[in-house]
Amino acid sequence: MREEALVERLVGAGGSRRAQHTAAELLLDGIAAERDEAQGLELLAAAAYAGHAEALLRLAEMTAEGEKGAELADRARTGRDARLR
């Protein structure tokens, strides 16, 4: 399987928080595909809001280090709130 196909399959795994977290880590680190911070962060936030503990921890670390965690969490929450309406 091509490495890019792995990320595509994880993203298309029906919203599984574990798949979202794995795909996010691969994209953020540029391991199985070209590094894509925007998509990686969105998947990480989705996994975190779904209750994935490691995703929550990584977002917290990013926020504490002044990275984009807080901004992303706000964007994800806004999108999540819109989907709930």
Side-chain angles (χ1 to χ4, degrees), residues 7-79:
V7 173
E8 291 171 11
R9 287 187 65 186
L10 288 169
V11 170
S16 157
R17 63 185 179 195
R18 183 175 180 189
Q20 290 171 327
H21 174 255
T22 301
E25 294 291 346
L26 294 173
L27 289 167
L28 289 171
D29 296 335
I31 293 174
E34 186 173 329
R35 189 172 193 278
D36 186 342
E37 184 178 79
Q39 186 178 15
L41 289 173
E42 288 192 26
L43 288 167
L44 187 65
Y49 273 99
H52 193 280
E54 290 178 41
L56 288 164
L57 179 60
R58 179 127 188 220
L59 277 181
E61 289 170 346
M62 294 171 79
T63 301
E65 294 171 2
E67 294 184 38
K68 297 181 180 184
E71 175 186 330
L72 173 71
D74 287 341
R75 282 190 5 228
R77 181 179 35 75
T78 301

